[in-house]
């Protein structure tokens, strides 16, 4: 094999690496119909254990009253439900709000005040968990966020899975629930369907769960005691850490899609960036901490810990974790092929993007059908999730000559050979360019005179590329050892139950 041929093969391999996340996405979505048969409902049964709810609260006065009142209205026996609000040394009216609710519901709502605050969510949770475990009354513990609104039947739909002693924890479907969401919140609403209602159904089928939703995680007492009676404080992804520990200790984690919890999510790119960098850095920490887990088994086995080590689950995890890397690889491959073997480059580009178009149509259709309520609010954000310019790239792959000949011809124009060459390079490089341009959206969002441009830019560049850029930023911050202080997302009480 000549050096030229070897180079071409190497570049084609890079393009194939770019196809891996697309194939992993198709695999996950192909498992969703299987969930109708392969789920935990057959082993669930009516079960109403004594539940203690732990609500971490730091300056949550704007949202707590509604959340607590909805907890008190759950379709759950009042004598089997208690709420501990762990006040993390709040400086607003949080204590007053909690004490007022405690007076309305004596014995059911308890205010726990931490003298020293600001250590982070995990420390706050541990204060409440320690208090709950000290009392033998508690049989199950629900961890939630201060702003979330539980639908009336959500808790009992979660607890039914704990009737099976093999289950250590259950998580619900957190849906974006703002009354009048803006574009960013609508994008998040659509994304939550893909990342929860869809992906976690697939993980139910695989028997390995990536993460318990931080705002809706129900643990059996036995599970809490088995994992040490506290939440890990060394990572920014304490919910994922707990999920892994539960399964590695041999207990199942179940996603209950019918248990719906409404939450307020960021509605600006800057707030989104801050939240997701924290999440992504947590995933970097988890990937490193559990490096002994990955790809240890060729297929899912019976125990949850072994299923975490299956090749299928590893493919799902790393296809998301290394998505920016795969984008760089595919771009380098296509641009390199364009320079040394243009015909091969064109075939590789069309093959990769035909696959991307098929995945886009399949995933978008299933997502919108999976949650009709979100579809009504966020259908346009679902269609434009990859970005308007990414749709142009898809159309260029789907209809060869569309932008080089057909569209210019409508206006009586003709693209030159040099123009065609630069256009082809732009198509090949767009996924990487979109990821590199995403910080521009955040920058505009932070400048008063440019703020109006941030939303149109978001639609042009795409919400997906913005998430990839955030992941890349998290890589860099983690590598540089940036401060890992927990920086919570501010909530204003926009959820409508």
């Amino acid at each position: 094999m000549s050096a030229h041929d070897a180079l071409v093969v190497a570049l084609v391999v890079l393009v194939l690496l770019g196809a891996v996340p697309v194939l992993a996405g198709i695999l996950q979505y192909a498992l969703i119909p299987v969930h109708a048969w392969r789920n935990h409902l057959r082993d669930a049964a009516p079960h109403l254990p004594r539940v203690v709810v732990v609500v971490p609260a730091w300056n949550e006065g704007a949202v707590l009253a509604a959340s607590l009142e909805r907890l008190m209205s759950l379709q759950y026996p009042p004598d089997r439900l208690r709420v501990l609000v762990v006040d993390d040394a709040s400086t607003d009216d949080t204590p007053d709000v909690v004490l007022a609710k405690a007076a309305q519901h004596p014995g059911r709502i308890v205010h726990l005040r931490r003298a020293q605050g600001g250590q982070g969510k995990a420390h706050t949770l541990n204060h409440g968990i320690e208090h709950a475990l000290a009392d033998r009354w508690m049989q199950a513990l629900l961890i939630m966020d201060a702003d979330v609104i539980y639908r009336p039947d959500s808790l009992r739909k979660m607890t039914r899975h704990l009737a099976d002693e093999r289950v250590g924890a259950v998580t619900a479907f957190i849906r974006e629930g703002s009354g009048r969401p803006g574009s960013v919140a609508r994008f998040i609403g659509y994304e939550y369907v893909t990342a929860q209602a869809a992906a976690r159904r697939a993980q139910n089928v695989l028997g390995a769960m990536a993460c318990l939703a931080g705002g809706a995680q129900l643990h059996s007492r036995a599970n809490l005691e088995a994992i040490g009676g506290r939440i890990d404080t060394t990572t920014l992804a304490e919910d994922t850490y707990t999920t892994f520990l539960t399964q590695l200790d041999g207990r199942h984690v179940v996603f209950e899609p019918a248990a719906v919890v409404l939450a307020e999510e960021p509605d600006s790119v800057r707030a989104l960036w801050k939240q997701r960098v924290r999440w992504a850095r947590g995933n970097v920490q988890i990937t490193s901490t559990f490096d002994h887990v990955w790809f240890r088994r060729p297929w899912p086995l019976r125990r949850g810990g072994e299923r975490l080590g299956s090749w299928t689950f590893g493919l799902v995890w790393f296809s998301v974790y290394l998505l920016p890397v795969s984008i760089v690889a595919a771009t380098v491959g296509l641009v390199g092929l364009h320079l040394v073997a243009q015909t091969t480059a064109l075939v590789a580009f069309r093959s990769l993007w035909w696959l991307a178009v098929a995945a886009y149509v399949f995933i978008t259709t299933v997502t919108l059908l999976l949650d009709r309520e979100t579809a009504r609010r966020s259908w346009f954000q679902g269609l434009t999730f990859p970005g308007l310019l990414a749709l142009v790239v898809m159309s260029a792959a789907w209809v060869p000559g569309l932008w080089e000949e057909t569209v210019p011809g409508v206006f009586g124009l003709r693209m030159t050979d040099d123009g065609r060459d630069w256009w082809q390079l732009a198509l090949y490089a767009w996924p990487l360019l979109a990821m590199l341009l995403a910080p521009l959206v955040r920058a505009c969002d932070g400048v008063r005179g440019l703020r109006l441009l941030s939303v149109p830019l978001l639609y042009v560049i795409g919400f997906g590329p913005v998430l990839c850029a955030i992941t890349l930023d998290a890589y860099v911050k983690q590598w540089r050892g940036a401060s890992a202080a927990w920086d919570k997302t501010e909530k204003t009480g926009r959820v409508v139950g």
Side-chain angles (χ1 to χ4, degrees), residues 32 173 191-202 255 257 370-371:
I32 292 172
F173 171 33
E191 179 215 0
Y192 272 13
V193 180
T194 67
Q196 294 187 57
R200 287 178 180 161
R201 274 182 168 90
F255 170 61
L370 203 55
D371 184 359

Side-chain angles (χ1 to χ4, degrees), residues 350-384:
R350 288 177 179 167
S351 300
L352 178 63
W353 279 93
W354 268 62
L355 181 64
V357 169
Y360 166 72
V361 172
F362 176 48
I363 289 173
T364 304
T365 301
V366 174
T367 300
L368 295 176
L369 291 174
L370 203 55
D371 184 359
R372 303 292 183 87
E373 188 169 331
T374 297
R376 284 193 292 271
R377 290 158 57 103
S378 300
W379 63 269
F380 185 69
Q381 287 71 29
L383 295 177
T384 58

Side-chain angles (χ1 to χ4, degrees), residues 211-382:
C211 181
L212 288 156
Q217 45 180 306
L218 177 71
H219 297 268
S220 69
R221 183 187 187 101
N223 184 58
L224 274 178
E225 292 175 339
I227 63 175
R230 53 190 295 106
I231 302 298
D232 180 75
T233 58
T234 64
T235 175
L236 290 169
E238 74 285 337
D239 44 9
T240 307
Y241 196 100
T242 302
T243 308
F244 274 52
L245 283 186
T246 297
Q247 294 169 98
L248 289 171
D249 206 40
R251 283 172 298 280
H252 299 303
V253 175
V254 175
F255 170 61
E256 174 49 80
V260 179
V261 178
L262 306 178
E264 175 185 341
E265 298 302 330
D267 208 6
S268 73
V269 175
R270 291 181 67 83
L272 171 75
W273 203 288
K274 181 177 74 171
Q275 179 196 64
R276 297 308 177 85
V277 163
R278 185 177 75 244
W279 292 7
R281 289 188 66 188
N283 285 338
V284 174
Q285 295 164 351
I286 292 294
T287 304
S288 175
T289 300
F290 294 96
D291 59 354
H292 60 286
V293 169
W294 309 114
F295 303 109
R296 299 297 183 184
R297 296 282 185 265
W299 54 77
L301 299 176
R302 189 170 296 277
R303 293 180 70 246
E306 292 174 336
R307 291 184 177 188
L308 278 181
S310 71
W311 279 78
T312 46
F313 182 76
L315 174 65
V316 168
W317 177 274
F318 282 97
S319 67
V320 176
Y321 179 72
L322 296 178
L323 184 56
V325 176
S326 68
I327 288 174
V328 173
T331 302
V332 170
L334 287 172
V335 172
L337 285 172
H338 182 74
L339 298 177
V340 300
Q342 290 194 6
T343 301
T344 305
L346 194 57
V347 172
F349 164 73
R350 288 177 179 167
S351 300
L352 178 63
W353 279 93
W354 268 62
L355 181 64
V357 169
Y360 166 72
V361 172
F362 176 48
I363 289 173
T364 304
T365 301
V366 174
T367 300
L368 295 176
L369 291 174
L370 203 55
D371 184 359
R372 303 292 183 87
E373 188 169 331
T374 297
R376 284 193 292 271
R377 290 158 57 103
S378 300
W379 63 269
F380 185 69
Q381 287 71 29

Side-chain angles (χ1 to χ4, degrees), residues 60-249:
E60 303 282 10
V63 298
L64 261 175
S67 298
L68 293 176
E69 196 55 46
R70 291 301 289 263
L71 285 175
M72 294 296 97
S73 302
L74 289 177
Q75 296 170 1
Y76 205 83
D79 61 340
R80 304 184 77 79
L81 182 68
R82 296 178 185 173
V83 179
L84 302 179
V85 181
V86 187
D87 178 0
D88 195 38
S90 297
T91 56
D92 68 348
D93 63 342
T94 292
D96 298 331
V97 171
V98 178
L99 290 172
K101 287 297 176 184
Q104 294 177 25
H105 305 279
R108 299 190 64 203
I109 297 178
V110 177
H111 176 242
L112 298 178
R113 174 84 173 181
R114 295 189 73 208
Q116 178 185 356
Q119 293 178 296
K121 181 180 179 181
H123 288 275
T124 307
L125 287 173
N126 284 334
H127 187 81
I129 292 170
E130 182 182 2
H131 190 279
L133 287 174
D135 186 348
R136 296 305 304 175
W137 184 87
M138 186 265 287
Q139 295 174 320
L141 185 135
L142 176 68
I143 295 174
M144 62 173 279
D145 291 332
D147 67 295
V148 300
I149 297 293
Y150 276 69
R151 288 197 167 170
D153 61 350
S154 53
L155 180 57
R156 65 191 303 138
K157 286 185 175 177
M158 295 172 73
T159 58
R160 60 184 173 177
H161 295 284
L162 295 184
D164 181 358
E165 294 183 355
R166 298 172 300 172
V167 175
V170 184
T171 192
F173 171 33
I174 295 187
R175 176 187 286 152
E176 206 294 321
S178 301
R180 299 180 64 183
S183 289
V184 175
R186 289 176 187 269
F187 270 118
I188 293 173
Y190 174 83
E191 179 215 0
Y192 272 13
V193 180
T194 67
Q196 294 187 57
R200 287 178 180 161
R201 274 182 168 90
Q203 290 165 24
N204 272 349
V205 173
L206 290 174
M209 189 64 56
C211 181
L212 288 156
Q217 45 180 306
L218 177 71
H219 297 268
S220 69
R221 183 187 187 101
N223 184 58
L224 274 178
E225 292 175 339
I227 63 175
R230 53 190 295 106
I231 302 298
D232 180 75
T233 58
T234 64
T235 175
L236 290 169
E238 74 285 337
D239 44 9
T240 307
Y241 196 100
T242 302
T243 308
F244 274 52
L245 283 186
T246 297
Q247 294 169 98
L248 289 171
D249 206 40

Side-chain angles (χ1 to χ4, degrees), residues 370-452:
L370 203 55
D371 184 359
R372 303 292 183 87
E373 188 169 331
T374 297
R376 284 193 292 271
R377 290 158 57 103
S378 300
W379 63 269
F380 185 69
Q381 287 71 29
L383 295 177
T384 58
F385 192 86
L388 292 173
L389 287 181
L391 298 182
V392 170
V393 178
M394 290 184 193
S395 65
W398 193 263
V399 186
L402 175 65
W403 298 99
E404 298 94 328
E405 300 169 6
T406 307
V407 173
V410 171
F411 300 96
L413 302 174
R414 181 178 178 274
M415 186 176 286
T416 65
D417 290 341
D418 285 344
R420 188 186 301 271
D421 193 58
W422 282 106
W423 171 252
Q424 207 65 49
L425 274 174
L427 293 177
Y428 295 163
W430 174 247
L432 178 57
L433 290 174
M435 188 167 64
L436 296 177
L437 287 171
L440 181 63
V441 184
R442 180 182 61 168
C444 290
D445 195 33
V447 179
R448 179 172 298 179
L450 299 176
R451 193 164 293 157
L452 290 176

